[in-house]
Amino acid sequence: MTETNPTHEEMHHPSGHWYDCTGFQRDLLLGIATHDRLDQAPCGANLQWWLEGRYPHDVNRSRVYTNLCDLYDAGMVKRRPINDRKTAYELTEAGQECLAAHGRLVEELDLPDMMPATARDQ
């Protein structure tokens, strides 16, 4: 079997819609994965606190829930009731692949190859 090098498009447009997400949504995906890895409930309030620990300003709770809903609609997260008032969020397979693809891109970072050939040739 012949191994080929990925094209610029394949390297910089990872599957899972990483570039279709806003930066805030990407941070929510990372927060959900972090909470899951630490075996903590990734509910909206916990994600808000997690984000506020990383952002230089307060994070509006409605912004958290609106973006979680958008990620749910995009098939990146699923919901699981914790109790009558709390919902936990977890990454779907698409959400996991989205983070994994971005991780591979960062891992293989090669600055000269990060720009399209037309920009490098100028």
Side-chain angles (χ1 to χ4, degrees), residues 47-120:
L47 292 168
Q48 178 185 1
W49 295 325
W50 186 83
L51 289 167
E52 286 180 343
R54 284 146 184 80
Y55 282 31
H57 51 77
D58 290 342
V59 174
N60 184 297
R61 182 168 287 188
S62 65
R63 182 178 182 200
V64 171
Y65 287 103
T66 298
N67 281 278
L68 285 169
C69 185
D70 292 343
L71 289 169
Y72 174 81
D73 290 344
M76 304 287 275
V77 301
K78 53 188 171 183
R79 301 173 181 150
R80 176 179 45 84
I82 296 176
N83 58 36
D84 290 343
R85 297 190 63 191
K86 283 188 176 180
T87 300
Y89 296 86
E90 58 186 272
L91 299 179
T92 61
E93 194 172 306
Q96 291 171 2
E97 176 53 31
C98 178
L99 285 179
H102 181 69
R104 287 189 299 272
L105 176 63
V106 171
E107 210 172 80
E108 298 169 4
L109 188 63
D110 186 1
L111 293 177
D113 291 335
M114 291 296 290
M115 298 173 70
T118 55
R120 278 194 313 252

